[in-house]
């Protein structure tokens, strides 16, 4: 039964429609009441029609209504009831078919919504699982982010330390570069001095060779020995000079060991200078001794004209 609808309300609405000369139908009664279910109104209209004959018979027994009029009214009412009943049955069949179609549509819609609800529940479960996974991932990411912040701070600290060490190393490199430039200048001057000394030594050796050849053949062997000794000294000096140059080139690539290499080169240069000075002094003493004590064979032989013979210099 619909809410707020009673049998009396349906009876009054049907009586009003009937008094207006119309057939009370479910639609008219429902329109008059403004609410109500068609099935409920149909059932109440049937009850109203079942009571309508009794009410008409009561009217036909009234003293002021003639019998023919009462019978005519009963017949009219019977025809009206039959017509109303047929119309109500047709309307009821229509409403039943409509209701059945609506019920089928509602069933299908219910199945559709049930399927959608199941899908929604599945998606909700997946969403909850994804949410839990996302929360776990977020927690891991937060931890990794904190670790990355700490690592970044450590890297920045190490960078500052490395920058400080780099600045110190750059200052040391500049100092070593200045020392290297100074060592190059010293080596260049020493090399020129050694070259001049070598040239002077060669000139002296050649002069001694010329005098030895002009004086006697005996001195030829001594000269050749002296020449070999001299050439070996030149080669030794050249080798040491090449070693000095090679050390100078290595000092450009190895600035960290520049100070040690410079000291080694200075010691090598000092040794070369002392050896050259000693050899020069020894040869001068030998010439003076030969002049003071000439060989006896040379005094006995007549003097022969001296010939000037130059020897080739070793580059």
């Amino acid at each position: 039964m619909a809410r707020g609808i009673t049998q009396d309300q349906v009876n009054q609405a049907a009586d009003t429609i009937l008094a207006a000369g119309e057939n009370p139908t479910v639609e008219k009664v429902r329109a008059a009441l403004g609410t109500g279910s068609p099935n409920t109104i149909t059932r109440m209209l049937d009850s109203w029609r079942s009571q309508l004959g009794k009410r008409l018979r009561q009217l036909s027994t009234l003293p002021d209504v003639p019998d023919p009029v009462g019978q005519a009214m009963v017949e009219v009412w019977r025809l009206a009831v039959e017509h109303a009943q047929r119309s109500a049955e047709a309307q009821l069949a229509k409403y039943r078919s409509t209701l059945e179609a609506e019920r089928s549509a509602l069933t299908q819609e219910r199945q559709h919504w049930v399927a959608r609800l199941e899908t929604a529940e599945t998606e909700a479960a997946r969403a909850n699982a994804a949410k839990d996974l996302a929360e776990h991932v977020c927690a891991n990411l937060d931890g990794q982010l904190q670790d990355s912040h700490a690592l970044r701070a450590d890297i920045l600290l190490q960078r500052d330390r490395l920058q400080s060490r780099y600045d110190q190393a750059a200052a040391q490199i500049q100092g070593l570069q200045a020392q290297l430039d100074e060592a190059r200048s010293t080596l260049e001057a020493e090399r020129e001095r050694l070259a001049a000394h070598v040239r002077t030594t060669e000139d002296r050796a050649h002069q001694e060779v010329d005098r030895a050849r002009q004086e006697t053949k005996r001195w030829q062997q001594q000269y050749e020995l002296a020449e070999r000794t001299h050439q070996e000294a030149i080669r030794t000096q050249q080798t040491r000079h090449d070693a000095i140059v090679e050390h100078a080139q290595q000092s450009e690539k190895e600035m960290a060991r520049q100070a040690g290499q410079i000291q080694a080169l200075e010691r090598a240069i000092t040794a070369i200078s002392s050896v050259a000075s000693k050899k020069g002094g020894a040869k001068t003493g030998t010439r003076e001794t030969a002049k003071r004590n000439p060989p006896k064979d040379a005094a006995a032989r007549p003097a022969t004209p001296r010939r000037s013979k130059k020897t080739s210099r070793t580059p």
Side-chain angles (χ1 to χ4, degrees):
M1 182 180 292
R3 295 180 182 178
I5 297 177
T6 62
Q7 183 67 49
D8 293 336
Q9 292 176 345
V10 173
N11 292 340
Q12 292 177 3
D15 291 340
T16 302
I17 295 171
L18 183 63
E22 297 180 358
N23 183 21
T25 61
V26 177
E27 291 85 357
K28 293 179 180 180
V29 172
R30 191 168 185 271
L33 296 175
T35 183
S37 171
N39 292 331
T40 302
I41 294 174
T42 301
R43 186 172 61 254
M44 290 184 176
L45 280 176
D46 292 339
S47 178
W48 174 77
R49 292 189 183 95
S50 64
Q51 295 175 3
L52 184 58
K54 182 178 179 181
R55 292 169 61 191
L56 290 176
R57 283 194 297 271
Q58 290 176 356
L59 291 175
S60 62
T61 58
L62 293 176
D64 56 350
V65 177
D67 291 338
V69 174
Q71 291 178 359
M73 291 179 63
V74 170
E75 186 63 23
V76 170
W77 181 250
R78 185 183 64 80
L79 294 176
V81 168
E82 290 179 357
H83 181 270
Q85 188 173 1
R86 288 194 298 271
S87 177
E89 290 176 355
Q91 194 70 24
L92 180 61
K94 179 180 178 181
Y95 276 108
R96 284 179 179 175
S97 62
T98 303
L99 182 62
E100 190 67 25
E102 290 178 356
R103 182 181 297 174
S104 177
L106 288 174
T107 302
Q108 293 179 358
E109 186 175 0
R110 180 177 179 277
Q111 293 176 355
H112 173 69
W113 283 108
V114 168
R116 292 190 63 179
L117 179 61
E118 292 177 354
T119 304
E121 290 177 352
T122 303
E123 292 179 355
R126 292 179 181 176
N128 290 329
K131 177 185 176 183
D132 296 337
L133 180 60
E135 290 177 353
H136 181 68
V137 172
C138 287
N140 292 334
L141 289 176
D142 290 337
Q144 294 178 2
L145 182 61
Q146 294 177 358
D147 295 340
S148 65
H149 286 326
L151 180 60
R152 180 176 178 271
D154 189 16
I155 290 174
L156 290 176
L157 181 60
Q158 293 180 5
R159 185 197 65 181
D160 295 338
R161 291 177 180 175
L162 291 175
Q163 184 66 34
S164 178
R165 293 178 61 184
Y166 172 78
D167 295 338
Q168 294 176 0
Q172 293 177 359
I173 289 172
Q174 290 179 357
L176 292 175
Q177 185 67 34
Q179 294 178 4
L180 178 62
D181 295 338
E182 184 178 357
R184 284 179 180 175
S185 300
T186 304
L187 288 175
E188 187 66 26
E190 188 65 24
R191 183 176 64 182
E192 292 178 357
R193 189 181 66 80
L194 288 175
H197 178 71
V198 168
R199 288 194 298 271
T200 303
T201 304
E202 288 179 352
D203 293 339
R204 290 177 180 177
H206 287 308
Q207 291 175 3
E208 291 176 1
V209 169
D210 291 337
R211 284 194 298 269
R213 283 181 178 180
Q214 292 174 3
E215 289 175 355
T216 181
K217 292 180 180 180
R218 180 180 176 181
W219 290 98
Q220 183 68 33
Q221 294 178 354
Q222 295 180 3
Y223 167 76
E224 291 176 356
L225 179 60
E227 182 67 20
R228 286 195 299 270
T229 302
H230 175 68
Q231 293 295 333
E232 178 138 357
I234 293 174
R235 284 194 298 273
T236 302
Q237 291 178 356
Q238 186 65 33
T239 301
R240 291 182 179 179
H241 176 267
D242 293 339
I244 292 171
V245 173
E246 183 178 357
H247 281 296
Q249 292 177 353
Q250 290 180 355
S251 65
E252 293 178 357
K253 298 180 181 178
E254 301 176 359
M255 290 185 292
R257 297 178 294 175
Q258 192 65 39
Q261 291 180 355
I262 292 173
Q263 293 177 1
L265 290 173
E266 289 178 353
R267 288 194 295 270
I269 292 170
T270 304
I272 292 171
S273 300
S274 62
V275 169
S277 299
K278 289 179 181 180
K279 288 184 179 180
K283 291 181 180 180
T284 304
T286 302
R287 286 198 302 273
E288 291 178 355
T289 303
K291 290 179 180 180
R292 288 197 301 268
N293 299 318
K296 295 180 180 181
D297 294 339
R301 289 195 303 271
T304 58
R306 294 181 179 181
R307 292 179 298 176
S308 178
K309 185 178 181 181
K310 294 182 179 180
T311 59
S312 59
R313 297 183 180 179
T314 302

